[in-house]
Amino acid sequence: MLSLFRLLRGRKAPPAPLDELARRWIEQRIEWLADQFGSERLLEAPVIEPTADFFPDPFDGSTASAQAMFDRVCRYMDVPPDIVELQVFDESNRPWLVNESGDYLPPAAGTFQGGETRFLVRLERDQFQQPQEVIGTIAHELAHLRLLGEGRCEHDEFDNELLTDLTATCFGFGIFLINAPRHWPSQLGYWPGSDLRRPEYMTLPMFAYAMARLGRARGETAP
C-alpha cells in the first residue's frame, strides 16, 4: 500500500495542537482508510465546499430539498442513492437531558440503520435551518454506511464515531464537520490502555490535524 505520509517522513514537524494518542490515532486510521478505499480515492477526493459549485440545488428546509441534498452527498460519498432511504424525524419537543455529572446530553442529529434490502438514514428536522449542518450530518451517516453497512468495521469498536467522522473528512467533508462539531463534555471516554480522555466524536484540533495531513499528502500548496 502506498503510504499517504511517505513525503513527511524524515522531516521535523512542529508539535501538533492535540495529544499524542489522538495524533497517532488519526495517522493510523488514515492509513487504514487508504487500505480500505484505496490511496488514490483519498488523494484525489476534492475538498467539498459550501458553494453552488458543489451544491447548486436550492435548499428551503423542506423534505424535498433535503432529499436533493442527500442524493448529491451520496454521489460524493460513492453511495448509490437507490440503496438508501432518507427519513426525517422531529425531536423539537424532547426535554433537555443531563448525565450524572450534570452535562447536557444532546439529541441525535441523524441515525443510520442497516436493513435487509435498503439502508436507512434519518435526519432530525430542527437542523434544517442550517444547511451546512445538514450536509455534515448526512456525510457522517453515509460514512456509517461505508463502514458498518459494507462490513468494514463493527458497531462496538471503541472508535466507531471517531472513525466515522474521519471517513467523512477523508471523502472531502471536513469543512462541514468542522463548522458543526459534535463534541460535548458528556461524551468522553478513555483511549485504550491509558487514562487520557478520549472524545466520542472528533474535536476541532483533530479535524484540523486530519485535514492538514490530507492536504500535505495531496501536495496542496494553498489548502
Side-chain angles (χ1 to χ4, degrees):
M1 181 191 68
L2 181 65
S3 173
L4 294 181
F5 302 127
R6 66 194 184 285
L7 298 178
L8 301 177
R9 289 171 182 159
R11 298 184 183 181
K12 185 176 181 181
L18 71 171
D19 64 75
E20 175 66 16
L21 293 179
R23 182 197 64 78
R24 190 183 311 159
W25 175 86
I26 290 170
E27 296 186 355
Q28 291 174 347
R29 276 309 204 179
I30 287 180
E31 294 285 8
W32 182 86
L33 289 169
D35 187 44
Q36 290 291 312
F37 297 104
S39 297
E40 294 78 10
R41 177 62 181 88
L42 270 60
L43 289 171
E44 296 172 2
V47 177
I48 310 299
E49 299 176 2
T51 66
D53 290 337
F54 290 95
F55 295 96
D57 310 301
F59 183 80
D60 58 9
S62 66
T63 300
S65 62
Q67 182 68 61
M69 180 182 287
F70 182 81
D71 292 345
R72 193 167 293 278
V73 177
C74 279
R75 290 192 287 273
Y76 292 144
M77 295 285 293
D78 297 336
V79 174
D82 59 350
I83 71 169
V84 56
E85 176 184 355
L86 173 65
Q87 291 184 1
V88 177
F89 67 98
D90 188 344
E91 284 200 342
S92 58
N93 294 323
R94 176 184 182 271
W96 281 49
L97 303 176
V98 297
N99 62 12
E100 61 274 7
S101 300
D103 296 318
Y104 173 56
L105 295 173
T111 64
F112 165 78
Q113 181 179 336
E116 294 184 1
T117 57
R118 300 181 74 193
F119 299 104
L120 174 64
V121 168
R122 302 173 69 240
L123 298 178
E124 208 285 317
R125 185 180 296 278
D126 187 58
Q127 66 190 308
F128 281 17
Q129 302 302 315
Q130 303 292 333
Q132 286 199 52
E133 184 174 343
V134 178
I135 293 170
T137 300
I138 294 172
H140 179 90
E141 301 308 327
L142 291 178
H144 273 311
L145 190 156
R146 299 305 314 267
L147 296 171
L148 301 174
E150 296 178 3
R152 300 178 188 275
C153 65
E154 298 296 330
H155 189 276
D156 58 357
E157 295 190 30
F158 82 92
D159 61 350
N160 174 37
E161 297 293 352
L162 286 170
L163 181 58
T164 303
D165 273 345
L166 185 60
T167 300
T169 301
C170 288
F171 274 78
F173 286 89
I175 290 175
F176 299 91
L177 295 169
I178 283 176
N179 286 337
R182 294 161 176 78
H183 175 58
W184 299 274
S186 59
Q187 297 177 320
L188 292 175
Y190 293 93
W191 290 106
S194 79
D195 57 0
L196 194 63
R197 300 306 295 267
R198 170 189 60 81
E200 184 73 7
Y201 298 86
M202 285 178 61
T203 62
L204 293 180
M206 292 177 74
F207 279 122
Y209 187 73
M211 291 188 71
R213 279 295 198 176
L214 290 167
R216 175 64 69 85
R218 293 167 180 159
E220 297 177 7
T221 56

